[in-house]
Amino acid sequence: MNELVCKCGHVNKEGSELCLQCGRTLTEQAEQRKTSDVMRYEGMARRSQTYKRSVIDRIWNFFSSVKVGVWLIVITLVASAIGTIFPQELFIPRNIDPAAYYEDRYGLAGKIYYVLGFHNLYGSWWYMLLIAAIGTSIIIASLDRGVPLYKALKNQRVERHGSFLKRQRIYSEYVTDRPVEKLEEIGAGLEKKKYKIRKENNHLLAEKGRFSRWGPYVNHTGLIIFLIGAMLRFVPGMYVDEQLWIREGETLNIPGTDQQYFLENKGFTLETYNEGQDSDVFDATLQRVGPVAKNFQTDAVLYKREEGDIAGSANREMEPLFEQPIQVNIPLKFDGFALYQTDYIENEFHTMSFTLENKETEESFGQFTVDLFNPEQDGLYDLGNGYQVEMMGLYPDFSGFEDGEPQSASPLPNNPAFLFKMITPDKPDGEVAFIGIQQNLEPLGENEYALSFSGLETRDVSGLTVRKDLTLWILALGGAIFMIGVVQGAYWNHRRVWLKAGEDGKLYVAGHTNKNWFGLKKDLSASFEGTDLAIPEDHQELKDSKGTAKEEQERGTTGQHQ
Amino acid sequence: MAQLASISSTLLYTAFVLYLIATVFFAGSIKSKKHTNQIGKNRWATIGITITIIGFAAQLGYFITRWIAAGHAPLSNLFEFITFFAMMLVLSFIIIYFMYRLHILGVFALPIALLIIAYSSMFPRDVSPLIPALQSDWLFIHVSTVAAGEAILAISFVAGLIYLLKDVDLTKGGKQVFWLEAVLIGLMLVVGFIVSSISFSIAGAGAEFSYVNPEDQQVTAEYAMPALVVPNEGELLTEGAFATSLEMPAIVNAARLNTVIWSLLFGAGIYLLIRLITRKKLAGILQPLVRKANPDLLDEIGYRSVLIGFPVFTLGGLIFAMIWAQIAWTRFWGWDPKEVWALITFLFYAAFLHLRLSRGWEGNRSAWLAVIGFVIIMFNLVAVNLIIAGLHSYA
Ligand code: HEM
């Protein structure tokens, strides 16, 4: 290893810019660079700036570069924005072919969007790859800088060479007859401002807020933990996302719980705001936009199946665990699961009642009720006195005839229709009637008897989302660590002041902070009060630049970091 | 309650007028021959900040009384959210003012707050009841933190804008001059929107159309301004109202497009008028105000406000947002456009900080980044709500 021996005799690692002992610049290059750039990592050797040969070096250097990091962030940002131009696939109606949807609705632009895969951008492999690259970059960049920075700040010396002081942005020399006394005075002033003071041989180092230098490393750690949490989502068992449609009065197994838990729906309520009933301040809105939803609620009871019970035996006696209304924003929680109110269907048909009549005399021979979900096993409804109705067919979602056969589009009772045989004492073979909503057919010829609707019962169906997410605590931990880190790095600063009472009778003062120079200067002006010395000068170069960032770059005074 | 709601409106109006007066005093503070220092003690500025604080108190009064009247935090529609954002902008200004006492900041921050309040009042101002998804304490916690974070970040835009007005050499021309003027024209378009809305509303130029939407349903559209473009298969329902025959495809919200066109026309008209009368660019008119501003201090304030605002925004816009989304929508993240734009804002300011810290992007570049950041925030605040429909669709 090439070592760099400083004039003061200290042996520094290859790649160092400032001597760890005295602060002298060690290379020609370091001499040329802006002080704030050199000071960022205390002039320490960084792996990425020192080794550039092997493949591993190259990969390391690539990911440790902030330039690369920023590019990754910017590309992710732009890609994310493109993903919001048209709705993502998961937001478009489910029963439509996406290929057709994008083209029909958005024309050529929509087609291009679909063909390039932007309709499913956030789940695409290259988007994931971008996030992974950012993660890698954060880890490598932090190690590359964090470790040397930690070593430098831990071994910080009080005594610094004159050239080090002179290079600082805040620097002044004072001719005074009592330099040591002044040094003590200013030191005391800084101590009042909560600086930690260290003294050695007429040198003084005042320092405060060093911990804020760890802010970025803490927040990056938080980000990495968060990303790991997000990845765990894909591990089986960590994440459950199911939908449970449950009708009023039903008790159903909760999907995803291994037949362990059951839920009873005791009733679903939908409330709206009403003029006159709710506060009068809402009247104007209600008149403008019409009814506004106020509450969606399922009154639910949770049951747990006892050990040893047979799976699927929902009807067996189960102990209710507890009862709770599930509302939007108030999920029902148990055993790592949460049930959310997310959807509903109002007034689904439940039972339908019919009356058997003689068409001519309009005499009635009794009434019966068909439970659409649970019809009589043998299809026979006995009305007494020899009158009977046999249900020959039930078509819950009647969609028309095919080859003379009635069809049902789905098992849901959206449009129920029935094929009945009416058996009466005078027609023991029965008469056949097809009955649907707004429909009454007599397929086998003119009947003497007829069935008429005489009652309808409906009930609401509640749509609940069943969710379990075992990654949440990891995400919360990552988020919390991230927040601590950003606040630590942003709301505190690392400020240092070096004082030196020289043998030449002069007092040297230099100051550095990683950010917020205004704050450092305020501290200095407070601690210089009463010393009859002017506060040290700020050698900032920023003054009127007239939009010349470009020239600045050409001069090489900015953007030196890789 | 209705009475309290009307007191609330009066308080907001009062705050608006007070901010206007305070702006005049801040302008006086930098023009004053007697107090030439633009920083520190100055009688004009002291009066200016005092009036600003009273104005803020009035607006806080508006917020609290409206909260009581509505029974929920008034952050549930665009009008309420945008006025709250303006209030946070004023608060951020007051805080930063007491940290740095830079008078010129008031000359720009307060007019921007005024513009935002005027803009917000173009949306329906009724107190609306809360739909189930919004009935949660997280409404206040999440929305107010986001607004506060964005407002603090907006101060960096104000500082950046002043920095650029001072820094960019208008006599030379070039890209920076062009874009600086573009930013100011952007502000002018907001003026155009406000002026056109008010004019047409006074003139009663609204109209109704029945048209066919993308789902092939016959619905009606409300126009607030004379129809320069007509919706898909649109039929004018209002007798005697003006309408061209320029029909838009179904996916375009023609009523909104129409408003945008009128705002552009009015904004451009006002802009051209100003240029004809003064024979100067907008930047040229404003430049004398900033002649004495200290670029170092502006740069410092711009950076500082990003440093303060970024954590607040992250907390409100991402962390609180995720917690609430987990409770209300069953998942903490769902790639809803508004969520994605919050992420974009977060990534943008992360890039800002990295560029500044590690690549030395200070001064001019940093100021430009602050301007772009503000454009992103405004896009999320306004355009995502109006153009891209998502779960966050405010009325
Ligand atoms: C979205 C992702 C990221 C976020 C939110 C983030 C956040 C931050 C923040 C807040 C700081 C402190 C900045 C300041 O105090 O001015 C910081 C510093 C830093 N970040 Fe990141 N970062 C991210 C990604 C990255 C990536 C991809 C890299 C890779 C190159 C990186 C490298 C650094 C470095 C080198 C520092 C400076 C540390 C120091 O010397 O003090 N960051 N980051």
Side-chain angles (χ1 to χ4, degrees):
Chain A
M1 210 189 344
N2 296 322
E3 287 164 337
L4 293 168
V5 184
C6 178
K7 284 188 190 128
C8 73
H10 186 77
V11 180
N12 293 284
K13 266 174 79 174
E14 178 184 4
S16 303
E17 299 187 291
L18 298 178
C19 174
L20 191 56
Q21 173 110 356
C22 70
R24 278 191 186 89
T25 46
L26 293 169
T27 60
E28 223 13 68
Q29 242 182 333
E31 192 79 48
Q32 299 297 319
R33 292 184 41 191
K34 242 165 93 172
T35 310
S36 57
D37 286 341
V38 179
M39 288 294 289
R40 178 137 307 121
Y41 305 108
E42 307 290 312
M44 285 294 276
R46 282 162 48 204
R47 189 189 197 287
S48 63
Q49 304 301 301
T50 314
Y51 306 107
K52 307 193 167 169
R53 290 241 174 80
S54 71
V55 179
I56 293 183
D57 293 343
R58 297 229 174 114
I59 295 174
W60 181 276
N61 298 354
F62 178 79
F63 283 112
S64 82
S65 155
V66 172
K67 195 174 179 179
V68 170
V70 170
W71 271 114
L72 290 172
I73 291 175
V74 170
I75 294 169
T76 310
L77 181 163
V78 172
S80 306
I82 292 173
T84 63
I85 296 178
F86 297 132
Q88 289 289 297
E89 192 177 13
L90 81 159
F91 295 121
I92 70 172
R94 223 165 270 181
N95 48 3
I96 302 178
D97 173 31
Y101 180 86
Y102 285 96
E103 189 170 1
D104 287 354
R105 214 176 155 115
Y106 305 108
L108 183 63
K111 186 174 181 182
I112 296 172
Y113 200 76
Y114 178 78
V115 170
L116 293 180
F118 287 126
H119 65 294
N120 186 14
L121 184 125
Y122 308 113
S124 67
W125 60 269
W126 60 271
Y127 194 80
M128 304 247 192
L129 210 62
L130 269 175
I131 306 281
I134 289 180
T136 314
S137 186
I138 290 174
I139 295 173
I140 294 182
S142 301
L143 287 176
D144 190 59
R145 294 164 173 83
V147 174
L149 184 65
Y150 177 76
K151 285 186 188 157
L153 289 177
K154 209 176 132 205
N155 300 320
Q156 203 176 185
R157 294 303 168 88
V158 176
E159 274 181 59
R160 289 289 160 130
H161 188 255
S163 68
F164 173 89
L165 302 181
K166 200 164 183 169
R167 284 176 56 100
Q168 298 303 323
R169 175 172 153 182
I170 289 186
Y171 174 74
S172 277
E173 310 175 8
Y174 302 90
V175 184
T176 161
D177 42 356
R178 289 163 310 185
V180 180
E181 244 170 71
K182 294 284 177 205
L183 177 144
E184 294 287 341
E185 249 176 78
I186 297 167
L190 286 166
E191 196 160 16
K192 260 198 214 130
K193 288 260 145 201
K194 306 223 168 70
Y195 282 73
K196 286 209 185 74
I197 308 290
R198 283 164 62 195
K199 281 182 245 178
E200 260 169 41
N201 306 332
N202 292 339
H203 285 72
L204 185 148
L205 167 62
E207 184 181 18
K208 105 171 167 189
R210 186 198 287 180
F211 81 104
S212 80
R213 290 290 283 276
W214 314 127
Y217 305 96
V218 173
N219 88 45
H220 287 163
T221 308
L223 280 176
I224 296 299
I225 294 174
F226 188 94
L227 289 180
I228 291 172
M231 260 162 32
L232 286 179
R233 162 84 21 108
F234 300 107
V235 175
M238 296 296 270
Y239 187 69
V240 171
D241 177 14
E242 303 272 358
Q243 193 73 17
L244 172 64
W245 286 99
I246 184 166
R247 299 181 169 81
E248 287 175 313
E250 276 182 337
T251 302
L252 292 181
N253 165 240
I254 299 171
T257 62
D258 257 348
Q259 305 277 335
Q260 281 241 341
Y261 290 94
F262 289 78
L263 194 78
E264 180 186 353
N265 177 357
K266 292 183 77 173
F268 174 83
T269 331
L270 186 160
E271 288 172 86
T272 52
Y273 292 93
N274 293 311
E275 265 187 85
Q277 214 167 315
D278 291 289
S279 170
D280 57 355
V281 289
F282 299 147
D283 289 356
T285 306
L286 295 177
Q287 281 158 17
R288 186 163 53 85
V289 302
V292 174
K294 183 182 192 175
N295 184 25
F296 305 120
Q297 173 173 326
T298 305
D299 294 312
V301 187
L302 182 73
Y303 296 90
K304 186 171 185 184
R305 189 163 55 82
E306 292 306 318
E307 297 280 326
D309 281 3
I310 306 145
S313 56
N315 296 330
R316 296 251 317 252
E317 285 290 302
M318 283 185 296
E319 277 299 304
L321 287 180
F322 60 90
E323 194 171 334
Q324 185 201 313
I326 305 177
Q327 288 171 304
V328 181
N329 275 310
I330 309 177
L332 181 152
K333 293 186 181 170
F334 63 94
D335 195 16
F337 286 87
L339 292 177
Y340 296 86
Q341 182 71 56
T342 45
D343 213 341
Y344 66 90
I345 298 170
E346 264 197 302
N347 300 329
E348 189 191 62
F349 293 148
H350 179 201
T351 65
M352 293 177 98
S353 304
F354 303 89
T355 311
L356 180 66
E357 287 170 347
N358 184 302
K359 272 192 197 168
E360 225 156 82
T361 63
E362 294 189 7
E363 191 187 344
S364 161
F365 303 99
Q367 187 185 351
F368 67 96
T369 300
V370 180
D371 184 332
L372 294 169
F373 292 83
N374 191 19
E376 291 295 329
Q377 289 284 321
D378 53 4
L380 273 183
Y381 295 85
D382 196 355
L383 305 180
N385 302 330
Y387 292 91
Q388 257 187 351
V389 176
E390 185 190 343
M391 188 167 74
M392 298 163 70
L394 169 60
Y395 312 95
D397 196 0
F398 176 64
S399 57
F401 293 95
E402 224 170 82
D403 298 331
E405 282 289 318
Q407 304 292 319
S408 182
S410 77
L412 297 175
N414 296 326
N415 181 27
F418 310 83
L419 194 60
F420 286 124
K421 186 190 263 181
M422 302 168 282
I423 300 162
T424 50
D426 53 329
K427 301 262 181 196
D429 289 342
E431 293 176 330
V432 175
F434 180 82
I435 298 181
I437 292 167
Q438 313 266 352
Q439 213 160 18
N440 226 331
L441 300 177
E442 295 178 356
L444 303 181
E446 188 81 10
N447 293 340
E448 256 177 61
Y449 292 88
L451 285 168
S452 64
F453 279 120
S454 58
L456 173 68
E457 258 182 52
T458 62
R459 56 185 175 174
D460 299 334
V461 194
S462 180
L464 303 173
T465 296
V466 183
R467 171 84 73 217
K468 175 166 130 177
D469 192 342
L470 293 182
T471 67
L472 287 180
W473 69 272
I474 306 176
L475 299 171
L477 181 72
I481 294 177
F482 176 80
M483 274 319 294
I484 292 170
V486 240
V487 168
Q488 181 180 345
Y491 293 3
W492 280 270
N493 330 113
H494 183 210
R495 299 175 188 168
R496 277 173 293 176
V497 180
W498 295 272
L499 297 161
K500 173 181 169 185
E503 273 145 28
D504 50 6
K506 279 186 184 167
L507 176 69
Y508 300 86
V509 183
H512 180 78
T513 178
N514 62 337
K515 51 189 66 147
N516 189 3
W517 294 82
F518 187 81
L520 174 64
K521 282 188 257 179
K522 260 174 135 174
D523 285 352
L524 282 171
S525 82
S527 45
F528 269 65
E529 212 163 287
T531 59
D532 58 67
L533 299 177
I535 68 162
E537 247 177 281
D538 181 356
H539 303 270
Q540 165 75 301
E541 309 134 60
L542 204 63
K543 307 277 148 52
D544 301 276
S545 81
K546 284 290 166 214
T548 46
K550 205 155 184 189
E551 283 167 34
E552 213 177 86
Q553 191 181 37
E554 279 151 16
R555 284 204 313 273
T557 49
T558 189
Q560 284 286 304
H561 259 277
Q562 286 296 301
Chain B
M1 281 303 148
Q3 198 187 355
L4 197 58
S6 99
I7 293 175
S8 175
S9 307
T10 312
L11 282 171
L12 181 61
Y13 187 69
T14 311
F16 185 86
V17 174
L18 287 172
Y19 295 154
L20 196 64
I21 298 172
T23 309
V24 175
F25 276 93
F26 277 113
S29 81
I30 59 167
K31 281 277 166 197
S32 161
K33 295 255 153 36
K34 220 160 104 201
H35 310 271
T36 49
N37 56 333
Q38 298 220 327
I39 173 166
K41 292 254 184 302
N42 169 320
R43 188 171 315 145
W44 285 83
T46 308
I47 298 173
I49 193 70
T50 310
I51 297 175
T52 309
I53 292 171
I54 299 170
F56 175 77
Q59 199 176 354
L60 198 62
Y62 141 82
F63 185 76
I64 294 168
T65 46
R66 192 173 169 100
W67 187 327
I68 296 168
H72 61 254
L75 293 168
S76 63
N77 58 35
L78 262 191
F79 161 73
E80 291 173 342
F81 179 69
I82 298 176
T83 24
F84 185 79
F85 173 71
M87 180 163 101
M88 288 293 112
L89 186 62
V90 173
L91 179 64
S92 312
F93 161 69
I94 293 172
I95 292 171
I96 299 275
Y97 180 82
F98 280 107
M99 280 159 87
Y100 292 94
R101 292 195 183 267
L102 186 67
H103 309 151
I104 185 86
L105 221 48
V107 184
F108 286 81
L110 290 176
I112 289 175
L114 284 167
L115 203 57
I116 293 172
I117 296 176
Y119 175 76
S120 73
S121 64
M122 301 297 120
F123 295 95
R125 272 169 291 170
D126 316 328
V127 177
S128 35
L130 282 190
I131 58 165
L134 294 182
Q135 293 167 15
S136 165
D137 292 339
W138 287 100
L139 171 66
F140 176 68
I141 301 170
H142 159 63
V143 181
S144 66
T145 330
V146 176
E150 291 184 338
I152 303 168
L153 291 170
I155 294 291
S156 82
F157 160 71
V158 175
L161 187 64
I162 302 172
Y163 184 98
L164 291 172
L165 283 170
K166 161 112 190 164
D167 186 53
V168 175
D169 187 348
L170 294 178
T171 58
K172 275 198 190 145
K175 261 195 245 164
Q176 295 216 19
V177 178
F178 173 81
W179 284 111
L180 184 58
E181 193 69 5
V183 170
L184 295 171
I185 291 174
L187 294 175
M188 207 40 106
L189 294 184
V190 181
V191 176
F193 169 68
I194 294 165
V195 172
S196 56
S197 298
I198 294 174
S199 318
F200 287 129
S201 135
I202 291 172
E208 253 182 40
F209 282 88
S210 91
Y211 74 105
V212 178
N213 74 4
E215 277 77 39
D216 271 334
Q217 293 150 333
Q218 192 82 26
V219 281
T220 57
E222 301 236 7
Y223 274 57
M225 306 183 184
L228 295 175
V229 291
V230 173
N232 182 37
E233 297 178 36
E235 245 175 77
L236 189 60
L237 300 178
T238 318
E239 238 171 88
F242 173 85
T244 64
S245 54
L246 207 59
E247 205 177 291
M248 292 292 110
I251 55 157
V252 174
N253 185 331
R256 275 184 192 150
L257 180 65
N258 190 55
T259 306
V260 170
I261 296 173
W262 276 113
S263 310
L264 286 172
L265 289 176
F266 268 76
I270 298 168
Y271 176 71
L272 288 177
L273 211 63
I274 293 174
R275 282 203 71 161
L276 274 177
I277 294 169
T278 62
R279 313 225 147 251
K280 274 186 191 161
K281 293 197 176 80
L282 283 182
I285 298 169
L286 294 173
Q287 205 157 44
L289 290 175
V290 305
R291 197 156 282 151
K292 281 182 279 180
N294 172 356
D296 273 336
L297 199 55
L298 287 166
D299 184 57
E300 177 88 35
I301 293 172
Y303 182 31
R304 197 78 195 287
S305 35
V306 174
L307 278 175
I308 300 174
F310 182 69
V312 178
F313 174 79
T314 310
L315 187 68
L318 292 174
I319 296 190
F320 288 165
M322 287 191 209
I323 296 174
W324 191 15
Q326 182 71 34
I327 296 170
W329 294 331
T330 81
R331 83 290 180 286
F332 62 91
W333 193 259
W335 298 108
D336 175 72
K338 195 101 186 170
E339 288 172 355
V340 176
W341 277 93
L343 176 68
I344 290 170
T345 311
F346 169 79
L347 290 175
F348 178 83
Y349 282 100
F352 176 109
L353 290 172
H354 288 90
L355 285 168
R356 174 142 190 141
L357 195 69
S358 291
R359 306 209 43 88
W361 282 34
E362 295 178 1
N364 182 280
R365 287 157 185 249
S366 183
W368 276 113
L369 289 180
V371 170
I372 298 170
F374 184 70
V375 172
I376 294 177
I377 289 177
M378 285 299 118
F379 185 82
N380 198 10
L381 198 69
V382 178
V384 173
N385 278 318
L386 298 183
I387 301 172
I388 306 172
L391 292 170
H392 276 84
S393 52
Y394 278 141

